[in-house]
Short mmCIF file of all heavy atoms in Angstrom, two decimals:
data_model
loop_
_atom_site.label_atom_id
_atom_site.label_comp_id
_atom_site.label_asym_id
_atom_site.label_seq_id
_atom_site.Cartn_x
_atom_site.Cartn_y
_atom_site.Cartn_z
N ALA P 19 -61.13 102.80 16.89
CA ALA P 19 -61.27 104.21 16.52
C ALA P 19 -59.97 104.96 16.75
O ALA P 19 -59.56 105.80 15.94
CB ALA P 19 -62.42 104.85 17.30
N LEU P 20 -59.30 104.66 17.86
CA LEU P 20 -58.00 105.27 18.12
C LEU P 20 -57.01 104.90 17.04
O LEU P 20 -56.29 105.76 16.49
CB LEU P 20 -57.48 104.82 19.49
CG LEU P 20 -56.05 105.25 19.84
CD1 LEU P 20 -55.99 106.75 20.07
CD2 LEU P 20 -55.56 104.50 21.07
N ALA P 21 -56.95 103.60 16.69
CA ALA P 21 -56.00 103.13 15.70
C ALA P 21 -56.26 103.75 14.33
O ALA P 21 -55.32 103.99 13.56
CB ALA P 21 -56.05 101.61 15.61
N ALA P 22 -57.53 104.03 14.01
CA ALA P 22 -57.86 104.62 12.71
C ALA P 22 -57.27 106.01 12.55
O ALA P 22 -57.07 106.47 11.43
CB ALA P 22 -59.38 104.66 12.53
N GLY P 23 -56.98 106.67 13.66
CA GLY P 23 -56.37 107.99 13.60
C GLY P 23 -54.95 108.02 14.09
O GLY P 23 -54.42 109.09 14.43
N ALA P 24 -54.30 106.86 14.12
CA ALA P 24 -52.95 106.76 14.66
C ALA P 24 -52.10 105.89 13.75
O ALA P 24 -52.49 105.57 12.63
CB ALA P 24 -53.01 106.19 16.08
N VAL P 25 -50.93 105.51 14.23
CA VAL P 25 -50.06 104.59 13.50
C VAL P 25 -50.23 103.21 14.10
O VAL P 25 -50.01 103.01 15.30
CB VAL P 25 -48.58 105.04 13.58
CG1 VAL P 25 -47.70 104.08 12.79
CG2 VAL P 25 -48.43 106.46 13.06
N LEU P 26 -50.64 102.26 13.27
CA LEU P 26 -50.82 100.88 13.71
C LEU P 26 -49.73 100.02 13.09
O LEU P 26 -49.56 100.02 11.87
CB LEU P 26 -52.21 100.38 13.32
CG LEU P 26 -52.54 98.94 13.73
CD1 LEU P 26 -54.02 98.81 14.08
CD2 LEU P 26 -52.19 97.93 12.63
N PHE P 27 -49.00 99.32 13.94
CA PHE P 27 -47.95 98.41 13.48
C PHE P 27 -48.55 97.01 13.37
O PHE P 27 -48.93 96.40 14.37
CB PHE P 27 -46.76 98.46 14.43
CG PHE P 27 -46.08 99.80 14.44
CD1 PHE P 27 -46.47 100.77 15.36
CD2 PHE P 27 -45.10 100.10 13.51
CE1 PHE P 27 -45.86 102.03 15.36
CE2 PHE P 27 -44.50 101.36 13.50
CZ PHE P 27 -44.88 102.32 14.42
N GLU P 28 -48.66 96.54 12.13
CA GLU P 28 -49.37 95.29 11.86
C GLU P 28 -48.60 94.06 12.29
O GLU P 28 -49.20 93.01 12.53
CB GLU P 28 -49.67 95.18 10.36
CG GLU P 28 -50.60 96.27 9.84
CD GLU P 28 -50.78 96.21 8.34
OE1 GLU P 28 -49.95 95.55 7.67
OE2 GLU P 28 -51.75 96.81 7.84
N ASN P 29 -47.28 94.17 12.40
CA ASN P 29 -46.44 93.00 12.72
C ASN P 29 -45.50 93.32 13.88
O ASN P 29 -44.28 93.28 13.74
CB ASN P 29 -45.65 92.56 11.49
CG ASN P 29 -46.52 91.90 10.45
OD1 ASN P 29 -47.10 90.84 10.68
ND2 ASN P 29 -46.66 92.54 9.29
N ALA P 30 -46.11 93.64 15.03
CA ALA P 30 -45.34 93.87 16.24
C ALA P 30 -45.31 92.58 17.06
O ALA P 30 -46.32 91.88 17.15
CB ALA P 30 -45.96 94.99 17.07
N ARG P 31 -44.15 92.28 17.64
CA ARG P 31 -44.03 91.08 18.45
C ARG P 31 -43.35 91.38 19.78
O ARG P 31 -42.43 92.20 19.85
CB ARG P 31 -43.26 89.99 17.70
CG ARG P 31 -44.05 89.39 16.55
CD ARG P 31 -43.31 88.25 15.85
NE ARG P 31 -44.16 87.63 14.84
CZ ARG P 31 -44.30 88.08 13.58
NH1 ARG P 31 -43.62 89.15 13.18
NH2 ARG P 31 -45.10 87.46 12.74
N ALA P 32 -43.84 90.69 20.81
CA ALA P 32 -43.20 90.75 22.12
C ALA P 32 -41.95 89.89 22.10
O ALA P 32 -41.83 88.95 21.31
CB ALA P 32 -44.16 90.25 23.19
N GLN P 33 -41.03 90.18 23.01
CA GLN P 33 -39.77 89.44 23.04
C GLN P 33 -39.84 88.20 23.93
O GLN P 33 -38.91 87.40 23.97
CB GLN P 33 -38.64 90.37 23.48
CG GLN P 33 -38.09 91.22 22.35
CD GLN P 33 -39.16 91.93 21.53
OE1 GLN P 33 -39.69 92.94 21.97
NE2 GLN P 33 -39.50 91.39 20.36
N ALA P 34 -40.96 88.04 24.62
CA ALA P 34 -41.23 86.83 25.39
C ALA P 34 -42.74 86.72 25.57
O ALA P 34 -43.42 87.75 25.65
CB ALA P 34 -40.54 86.87 26.75
N PRO P 35 -43.29 85.51 25.66
CA PRO P 35 -44.74 85.35 25.81
C PRO P 35 -45.18 85.32 27.26
O PRO P 35 -46.15 84.65 27.62
CB PRO P 35 -44.99 84.00 25.13
CG PRO P 35 -43.75 83.21 25.43
CD PRO P 35 -42.63 84.21 25.43
N CYS P 36 -44.48 86.04 28.12
CA CYS P 36 -44.73 86.02 29.55
C CYS P 36 -44.49 87.44 30.08
O CYS P 36 -43.55 88.11 29.64
CB CYS P 36 -43.76 85.04 30.20
SG CYS P 36 -44.44 84.09 31.56
N THR P 37 -45.30 87.88 31.03
CA THR P 37 -45.15 89.24 31.55
C THR P 37 -43.73 89.50 32.01
O THR P 37 -43.14 90.55 31.70
CB THR P 37 -46.14 89.47 32.70
OG1 THR P 37 -47.47 89.31 32.20
CG2 THR P 37 -45.99 90.87 33.29
N PHE P 38 -43.18 88.59 32.79
CA PHE P 38 -41.75 88.61 33.07
C PHE P 38 -41.11 87.57 32.15
O PHE P 38 -41.48 86.39 32.19
CB PHE P 38 -41.44 88.24 34.53
CG PHE P 38 -39.98 87.98 34.78
CD1 PHE P 38 -39.11 89.05 34.87
CD2 PHE P 38 -39.49 86.69 34.86
CE1 PHE P 38 -37.75 88.80 35.07
CE2 PHE P 38 -38.14 86.45 35.05
CZ PHE P 38 -37.27 87.51 35.16
N PRO P 39 -40.18 88.01 31.28
CA PRO P 39 -39.50 89.30 31.23
C PRO P 39 -39.95 90.21 30.08
O PRO P 39 -39.24 91.16 29.75
CB PRO P 39 -38.06 88.89 31.01
CG PRO P 39 -38.19 87.70 30.10
CD PRO P 39 -39.46 86.98 30.49
N SER P 40 -41.11 89.95 29.47
CA SER P 40 -41.52 90.75 28.33
C SER P 40 -41.64 92.23 28.67
O SER P 40 -41.18 93.10 27.93
CB SER P 40 -42.86 90.24 27.78
OG SER P 40 -43.32 91.05 26.73
N THR P 41 -42.28 92.52 29.81
CA THR P 41 -42.47 93.92 30.19
C THR P 41 -41.13 94.58 30.51
O THR P 41 -40.91 95.75 30.16
CB THR P 41 -43.43 94.03 31.38
OG1 THR P 41 -44.66 93.39 31.05
CG2 THR P 41 -43.71 95.48 31.72
N ASN P 42 -40.24 93.86 31.17
CA ASN P 42 -38.90 94.39 31.43
C ASN P 42 -38.25 94.83 30.13
O ASN P 42 -37.64 95.91 30.04
CB ASN P 42 -38.01 93.34 32.07
CG ASN P 42 -38.61 92.68 33.28
OD1 ASN P 42 -39.70 92.14 33.22
ND2 ASN P 42 -37.90 92.68 34.40
N SER P 43 -38.36 93.98 29.12
CA SER P 43 -37.75 94.27 27.82
C SER P 43 -38.36 95.51 27.19
O SER P 43 -37.65 96.38 26.68
CB SER P 43 -37.93 93.05 26.91
OG SER P 43 -37.36 93.27 25.65
N ALA P 44 -39.69 95.61 27.23
CA ALA P 44 -40.36 96.76 26.61
C ALA P 44 -40.00 98.07 27.30
O ALA P 44 -39.87 99.11 26.65
CB ALA P 44 -41.88 96.55 26.64
N LEU P 45 -39.83 98.05 28.62
CA LEU P 45 -39.58 99.28 29.37
C LEU P 45 -38.11 99.66 29.44
O LEU P 45 -37.76 100.70 30.01
CB LEU P 45 -40.14 99.14 30.80
CG LEU P 45 -41.66 99.01 30.90
CD1 LEU P 45 -42.08 98.85 32.36
CD2 LEU P 45 -42.37 100.22 30.27
#
């Protein structure tokens, strides 16, 4: 429901498949 009223990115990818260092990268 939130996405229906927002912008949804259909092809978003993380820069690593692991919390470290993926979260570091995002922040």
